Amino acid sequence: MAVQQAPSHLGRLVCLFAFLLLLHSGYSTFEHLSYLKAIDGHESGLPQDIVIELMASVAIFGLGIVMVADDFKEILMETEMAKQTIESLDARPSFYGFSHRGRAVFRNVSFKK
Amino acid sequence: MSGQLNPEDALYVDMFIAKNSQTMTFIRSSYSAILGLAAGILGLTNWSGFVFYFVGSAFLSTLVFLVKAKASPGTYFRSPFDVFTEGVLGGLLSYILFWTLLYGIIHVYD
């Protein structure tokens, strides 16, 4: 029932791309702050392009993670039962019979030793 | 065998309910780590960081609602609103962890 799903390679690629964007914007922020320190400027918000890059990365990451995660299963018993065959239901342990006709039919059979 | 049968038991597949909430937890915890990284890079402090987390979670919920649950969460969760609430507070701790980590790396120890 709980089969392992094949991983989505496209989703992983999207995540990798988003991670590179995140890494780059982080490094850019670091550079920007060191630059401000070098010219003795005071910090007053990040440059617009870094913020936009960061937000794009976060948005793309959301998409990537949603693609990588397994699909939801339909939880209604009705839809699950509709997929199963009658043979698999009949073969349940509850339906095993041990007092069948074999006892009467093979009563006189003797095994050779 | 004992007592009455609970009609709820026959209505849902327990294994799939558990599987769905596991998937939801995976999505939430991964994304809260990413949100934490972003908040740290932005250098958010105080309440703005928490506001950022909840706005980001709302974005993710919408994404899951539209893409994963195909706009009908009732077929995958017992109460349809679970898709918006499940795991939000659980992800908050890993969010704070990554938020403080990146804030420290970029804005404090430079």
Side-chain angles (χ1 to χ4, degrees), chain B residues 57-69:
Chain B
S57 294
F59 167 72
L60 183 70
S61 302
T62 328
L63 214 58
V64 170
F65 175 77
L66 291 177
V67 178
K68 281 269 125 167

Side-chain angles (χ1 to χ4, degrees), chain A residues 40-62:
Chain A
D40 286 335
H42 64 282
E43 191 180 341
S44 59
L46 292 174
Q48 193 109 47
D49 54 344
I50 294 180
V51 175
I52 289 174
E53 188 180 6
L54 200 55
M55 288 300 117
S57 149
V58 166
I60 293 170
F61 238 122

Side-chain angles (χ1 to χ4, degrees), chain B residues 83-101:
Chain B
V83 77
F84 294 102
T85 53
E86 191 157 338
V88 173
L89 290 180
L92 194 57
L93 288 174
S94 52
Y95 171 76
I96 293 174
L97 177 73
F98 282 95
W99 177 20
T100 47
L101 176 71

Side-chain angles (χ1 to χ4, degrees), chain A residues 66-85:
Chain A
V66 165
M67 285 162 83
V68 164
D70 289 352
D71 285 336
F72 286 150
K73 301 265 190 189
E74 294 188 17
I75 58 168
L76 271 184
M77 189 70 96
E78 220 178 308
T79 50
E80 176 60 21
M81 281 301 149
K83 290 177 199 158
Q84 301 203 353
T85 58

